[in-house]
Amino acid sequence: MKLSHFNFELPKDLLAEYPADHRDESKLMVIHRETGKIEHKLFRDLIDYFEEGDVMVLNNTKVFPARLFGNKEKTGARIEVFLLRELNQDQRLWDVLVDPARKIRIGNKLYFGEDEALVAEVIDNTTSRGRTLRFLYDGSYPDFRRKLRELGQTPLPKYIKRDVEASDEERYQTIYAKHEGAVAAPTAGLHFSKHLLKKLEIKGIDFAELTLHVGLGTFNPVEVEDLSKHKMDSEELIIEERATEIVNNAKTQKRRVCAVGTTVMRGLESAVSSEHTLNTHQGWTNKFIFPPYEFSIANAMITNFHLPKSTLLMMVSAFIGHDLMKRAYKEAILEQYRFYSYGDAMLIL
């Protein structure tokens, strides 16, 4: 498959700027892979497609407020700093993206907060927009992290042109988020309300959790026509024994195992044993899934509607079949489904 196979015309007005009023009232497109049948539902209707003993696998990563705005020393120029990854806790070292990057050089100092309570020094260049910062902060580590949270903003995707609002702090986070470390939300999970989760639980659906700390690499544009030459950024992945037991038991019982989101699917496929069962995992993954690909763990997936040429769209194509994916996306545009992080959802069976 080539990059050009994943291009399509997406009307700008279908990019969702805000989430649905209620989490579980987004639209849901249901796709049956075997028959090619497409249904149009609401997300809360999801429950009708699962039976007792089926398993949903959730990504319990938690988004932290990764976007900071500071001022450059001397010139006072406003600089956006996007926290990507903590490199060293003791030395307060972070990999970040800066914007505008051309103004930021090694040795520059950046000041954050009205009282300039936090200062950072640029100590290295990593990529064109990437820098390594050392934060200069006298307090304890928990105080330092508190200060970052206090000064940071919810890292909404760049395509959302409006300012961050107070409600985004809650809505750009799944209700089951536990372990802080993501700079982007695992968006398929944003549609679950407490009420819907409880109803699924009462019906006998089991839940397994993994942690994949979503980085910006998931959204990096693919810039090579030959997909096999694209390199994914590494993201931290943790799968504990309890999750493997739940998933492997469901597989043995021939139950439905549903990956809630592309991040879960990547996580599961990064920890497959030679017997096609799920292994525990503690480390990193840079797995890139594109057609043709044989999936080993999940036989169902919930996902949002993705942008043209994105790695996420490529994974969906691998799971659903390329022609059916194109037909589903054509219908989604026709039916005015909302795309991307705050958009509507798709259930693939």
Side-chain angles (χ1 to χ4, degrees):
M1 299 293 283
K2 301 275 189 249
L3 177 62
S4 48
H5 292 142
F6 297 92
N7 199 14
F8 62 92
E9 205 60 53
L10 177 61
K12 288 274 189 289
D13 63 337
L14 295 185
L15 284 174
E17 290 271 322
Y18 288 92
D21 290 343
H22 301 285
R23 286 181 185 266
D24 57 13
E25 287 181 3
S26 297
K27 290 203 285 191
L28 178 71
M29 178 184 281
V30 183
I31 300 173
H32 301 263
R33 289 183 290 170
E34 279 187 18
T35 62
K37 181 182 171 189
I38 295 176
E39 299 178 276
H40 303 288
K41 303 283 184 177
L42 289 180
F43 194 82
R44 60 171 183 250
D45 299 325
L46 181 81
I47 193 164
D48 300 333
Y49 296 90
F50 292 88
E51 302 297 335
E52 186 177 347
D54 290 345
V55 170
M56 289 190 179
V57 189
L58 311 174
N59 182 3
N60 64 18
T61 188
K62 191 173 188 178
V63 179
F64 68 93
R67 188 171 276 128
L68 301 172
F69 290 94
N71 298 95
K72 189 179 167 189
E73 63 177 335
K74 295 179 185 157
T75 66
R78 181 175 156 92
I79 305 293
E80 179 186 318
V81 171
F82 197 100
L83 301 172
L84 288 179
R85 188 175 297 163
E86 187 173 41
L87 301 175
N88 186 301
Q89 189 170 308
D90 297 332
Q91 294 182 43
R92 318 273 201 262
L93 292 183
W94 283 75
D95 264 348
V96 305
L97 295 177
V98 293
D99 193 19
R102 67 184 184 282
K103 294 184 176 179
I104 304 300
R105 297 189 171 87
I106 293 171
N108 287 163
K109 283 198 171 70
L110 302 173
Y111 294 88
F112 303 93
E114 283 176 22
D115 53 356
E116 299 184 346
L118 195 58
V119 183
E121 183 181 6
V122 182
I123 62 168
D124 200 5
N125 297 326
T126 52
T127 60
S128 57
R129 285 178 56 219
R131 303 289 184 271
T132 302
L133 297 189
R134 177 185 287 120
F135 285 95
L136 312 172
Y137 188 80
D138 291 334
S140 67
Y141 181 73
D143 283 349
F144 166 65
R145 289 299 297 235
R146 248 193 306 279
K147 182 55 74 176
L148 282 185
R149 268 196 292 273
E150 183 189 306
L151 293 171
Q153 284 188 6
T154 301
L156 291 182
K158 279 284 194 189
Y159 83 88
I160 292 179
K161 300 301 181 205
R162 63 177 173 82
D163 289 340
V164 172
E165 296 174 15
S167 61
D168 291 313
E169 191 177 340
E170 185 228 339
R171 291 304 302 271
Y172 196 64
Q173 193 83 270
T174 64
I175 60 168
Y176 47 77
K178 286 180 189 163
H179 304 297
E180 196 171 80
V183 299
T187 52
L190 296 180
H191 303 285
F192 285 89
S193 62
K194 284 194 173 78
H195 182 63
L196 179 58
L197 276 184
K198 180 50 78 180
K199 282 175 71 176
L200 288 162
E201 206 180 296
I202 290 166
K203 192 170 182 179
I205 314 305
D206 288 330
F207 294 94
E209 296 184 8
L210 57 74
T211 307
L212 189 142
H213 290 315
V214 192
L216 284 184
T218 300
F219 308 107
N220 277 352
V222 180
E223 289 170 339
V224 285
E225 182 65 9
D226 179 355
L227 300 185
S228 65
K229 296 196 164 41
H230 177 69
K231 295 285 181 286
M232 293 286 281
D233 286 0
S234 291
E235 294 171 320
E236 192 175 3
L237 170 65
I238 299 142
I239 303 176
E240 293 178 349
E241 199 161 329
R242 180 72 190 122
T244 67
E245 287 167 1
I246 294 168
V247 168
N248 291 333
N249 181 51
K251 276 179 66 70
T252 305
Q253 306 289 325
K254 302 271 194 290
R255 306 302 315 181
R256 189 162 269 165
V257 177
C258 181
V260 178
T262 55
T263 61
V264 169
M265 188 65 93
R266 283 185 68 221
L268 294 173
E269 290 297 315
S270 300
V272 178
S273 75
S274 53
E275 282 84 41
H276 298 286
T277 57
L278 184 63
N279 279 337
T280 58
H281 188 97
Q282 181 95 32
W284 299 80
T285 178
N286 63 353
K287 192 166 189 67
F288 174 32
I289 297 173
F290 60 95
Y293 183 86
E294 200 69 46
F295 290 84
S296 294
I297 306 294
N299 50 22
M301 174 162 70
I302 298 166
T303 187
N304 278 25
F305 288 88
H306 306 296
L307 300 190
K309 296 185 177 180
S310 63
T311 59
L312 310 175
L313 182 63
M314 290 161 194
M315 182 193 291
V316 170
S317 167
F319 191 66
I320 196 177
H322 195 67
D323 290 341
L324 185 51
M325 181 275 287
K326 280 169 67 177
R327 183 157 70 84
Y329 268 63
K330 199 172 176 181
E331 194 155 326
I333 291 168
L334 204 63
E335 297 288 335
Q336 298 280 291
Y337 276 74
R338 295 165 355 114
F339 277 65
Y340 212 40
S341 302
Y342 271 156
D344 294 314
M346 172 189 281
L347 169 62
I348 307 167
L349 299 170

